[in-house]
């Protein structure tokens, strides 16, 4: 139970970055260039975590083909869920400008955006819990990647919510709720998979990796590129290198 609480604590820590980012966007007029830059940086950090911590670990634990199948499955499931949510107004949930619809523009979009934000955060949190199953403690690289990427996600999305005339109760209710669910998801990942064979753990890790990479390409990089343009690749590469260095030093 102590390890499950530790998993919940790490999930809450990583999820709290969403609330911090939202608070910055709500109380500070953050320039668009800054929003786009931190979104690009966070994308690079997460891409590195997917490559070095998730897919690589899954392939070494369960074999290449199970990792490939799991990764593809996670990507497809995320894409389908995202398409369904986009139909109800959640397509631009991470956009910081005026792309997000208000409830007046599209009824039910507030709920769809909240569910979409939850869809983005759960795979990351489950991976945090799973990383504790090795007995070597939580993966510092995964924690750093999730925390660093959650900060710009919360910042950009909350800025867009504010421009869509959503109130503070909605904005902080969404991100505070997701931070709590992140903690519960991390604990669930540890408890439910504690007795699972290595192949199952590898498959879950690969599925999460596929979902996360699809999320990056579909929701984070478009926002970054729209604002930072030619600088996007360079800033994303900087984030990738930072996370890769953390992973290498931690290994």
């Amino acid at each position: 139970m102590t390890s499950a609480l530790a998993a919940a604590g790490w999930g809450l820590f990583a999820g709290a970055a969403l609330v911090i980012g939202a608070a910055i966007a709500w109380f500070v007029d953050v320039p668009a260039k800054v929003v786009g830059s931190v979104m690009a940086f966070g994308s690079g950090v997460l891409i590195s975590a997917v490559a070095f911590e998730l897919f690589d670990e899954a392939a070494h634990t369960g074999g290449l083909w199970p990792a490939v199948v799991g990764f593809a499955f996670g990507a497809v499931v995320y894409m389908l869920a995202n398409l369904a949510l986009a139909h109800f107004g959640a397509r631009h949930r991470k956009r910081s400008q005026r792309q997000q619809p208000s409830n007046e523009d599209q009824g039910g979009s507030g709920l769809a955006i909240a569910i979409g934000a939850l869809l983005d955060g759960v795979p990351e949190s489950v991976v945090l819990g799973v990383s504790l199953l090795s007995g070597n403690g939580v993966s510092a690289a995964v924690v750093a990647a999730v925390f660093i990427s959650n900060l710009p996600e919360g910042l950009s999305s909350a800025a867009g919510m504010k421009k869509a005339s959503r109130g503070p109760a909605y904005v902080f209710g969404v991100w505070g709720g997701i931070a709590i669910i992140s903690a519960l998801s991390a604990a669930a990942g540890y408890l439910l998979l504690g007795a699972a064979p290595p192949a199952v753990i590898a498959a879950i890790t690969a599925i999460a990796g596929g979902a996360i990479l699809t999320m990056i390409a579909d929701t984070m990089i478009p926002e970054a590129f729209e604002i930072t343009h030619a600088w996007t690749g360079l800033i994303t590469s900087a984030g990738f290198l930072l996370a890769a260095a953390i992973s290498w030093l931690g290994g």
Side-chain angles (χ1 to χ4, degrees), residues 46-186:
L46 270 184
I47 291 170
S48 181
V50 169
F52 294 115
E53 297 292 327
L54 302 185
F55 186 82
D56 185 66
E57 178 66 24
H60 276 93
T61 303
L64 177 60
W65 285 112
V68 168
V69 172
F71 195 92
F73 179 78
V76 170
V77 169
Y78 181 91
M79 180 195 71
L80 294 176
N82 201 39
L83 285 173
L85 288 169
H87 179 72
F88 293 99
R91 174 64 181 167
H92 300 298
R93 59 185 177 274
K94 283 194 173 71
R95 295 301 188 93
S96 62
Q97 302 307 303
R98 298 188 180 277
Q99 299 97 329
Q100 291 188 33
S102 65
N103 271 326
E104 289 71 24
D105 296 329
Q106 186 169 358
S109 59
L111 178 60
I113 289 171
I115 295 173
L118 181 62
L119 174 70
D120 299 336
V122 167
E124 301 168 351
S125 304
V126 171
V127 166
L128 286 175
V130 170
S131 72
L132 282 169
L133 294 175
S134 65
N136 298 321
V138 71
S139 169
V142 174
V143 171
V146 175
F147 186 92
I148 293 171
S149 64
N150 276 351
L151 191 65
E153 285 185 50
L155 193 157
S156 181
S157 185
M161 291 174 179
K162 187 177 180 180
K163 288 184 171 71
S165 302
R166 301 191 188 279
Y170 173 86
V171 173
F172 291 103
V174 166
W175 296 122
I178 291 175
I180 294 172
I181 293 172
S182 295
L184 296 176
S185 298

